[in-house]
Amino acid sequence: MKKVWLISFLLSLHAMYAQNLQTGDLLFVVSGTSPYSDAISQSTAFAEDSLAFDHVAMLWITADSVFNVIEAVPQNVVHITTLDSFLVSATHLKGRPGVVVKRLTGNFSPDDAVLNALRYLGQSYDWYFEPDNGRMYCSELIYESYLNNEGDHIFNTVPMNFKSSDGTIADFWIKLFEDAGKPVPQGERGTNPQDMSRDKQLIEVYRYF
């Protein structure tokens, strides 16, 4: 019954604010409580951040007004889901989806960003945050899809950090990379939802909570 009520609530909320959303808007999800979410938040969120994000996805509104989300998630390949399903599965804050919608300003084509993202459909999740390996993690999908009119990446890569505020690497990361026989890529360049959310080219247009 609670899930039915939630879906009904989201549908009505979506109907109220749909006119404010645009193709190419970015959906930032507040961090959850899984070990993976905790590890991401510990290594990417700063003390001055009011919210910690562990996921980012792209909104795609089709020509027939279907609201879709393109995303790379650990539980799946790069795929398309409906906005309503995305909101239901997101972390919730006091019964509402912990999702912040931000819009990119500047010279880029939202439709081209969607076409770029669709090229990666079916790629497996990139647990090891490596570039150009035929796999994608969430913010990497956004980084590779959003190009300016000159064909350059809009978002910047940063030195990746896997250390918590006390300077130690969380057990989650140590085990993940040890099991793969890879070193923790501390300092290698990459992206993450938290850093991306701080980009000054983004403006917040809505939050669901």
Side-chain angles (χ1 to χ4, degrees):
M1 181 62 71
K2 184 176 180 181
K3 186 172 183 180
V4 172
W5 175 88
L6 178 60
I7 292 173
S8 176
F9 165 76
L10 291 176
L11 288 173
S12 62
L13 194 65
H14 170 54
M16 289 173 58
Y17 291 98
Q19 68 271 22
N20 296 324
L21 302 180
Q22 298 177 9
T23 285
D25 285 349
L26 295 179
L27 309 172
F28 290 90
V29 181
V30 174
S31 294
T33 57
S34 71
Y36 187 35
S37 293
D38 286 343
I40 293 173
S41 298
Q42 289 174 22
S43 57
T44 63
F46 296 162
E48 60 267 27
D49 289 324
S50 59
L51 292 169
F53 298 112
D54 66 3
H55 184 52
V56 60
M58 173 195 302
L59 181 66
W60 172 32
I61 306 173
T62 66
D64 52 351
S65 299
V66 176
F67 284 67
N68 289 319
V69 174
I70 308 173
E71 62 177 346
V73 291
Q75 303 86 351
N76 208 331
V77 296
V78 176
H79 71 288
I80 300 170
T81 188
T82 65
L83 176 59
D84 292 324
S85 295
F86 177 85
L87 294 174
V88 168
S89 64
T91 304
H92 280 63
L93 302 174
K94 297 183 179 179
R96 294 173 179 265
V99 176
V100 176
V101 184
K102 295 197 174 191
R103 184 167 299 154
L104 184 62
T105 59
N107 64 335
F108 87 108
S109 165
D111 292 330
D112 285 349
V114 168
L115 290 175
N116 290 337
L118 293 176
R119 293 168 39 219
Y120 300 106
L121 288 180
Q123 287 198 3
S124 298
Y125 189 77
D126 185 5
W127 282 98
Y128 308 113
F129 311 102
E130 297 171 336
D132 305 318
N133 65 347
R135 296 171 177 263
M136 279 285 159
Y137 58 94
C138 68
S139 56
E140 181 184 20
L141 175 65
I142 303 304
Y143 171 78
E144 294 292 354
S145 299
Y146 284 72
L147 308 177
N148 63 23
N149 294 338
E150 289 72 48
D152 300 319
H153 291 100
I154 290 175
F155 294 104
N156 295 318
T157 59
V158 296
M160 290 190 291
N161 177 56
F162 294 87
K163 294 182 179 181
S164 302
S165 58
D166 63 2
T168 63
I169 296 177
D171 291 342
F172 180 91
W173 297 127
I174 293 173
K175 185 175 189 311
L176 176 70
F177 288 100
E178 278 185 352
D179 288 349
K182 299 174 180 288
V184 177
Q186 177 70 21
E188 297 293 327
R189 298 198 72 84
T191 60
N192 67 77
Q194 191 73 35
D195 185 79
M196 192 170 280
S197 73
R198 303 184 189 109
D199 196 296
K200 296 188 183 304
Q201 300 172 95
L202 293 174
I203 57 171
E204 182 176 326
V205 295
Y206 185 65
R207 57 176 61 187
Y208 283 88
F209 55 94

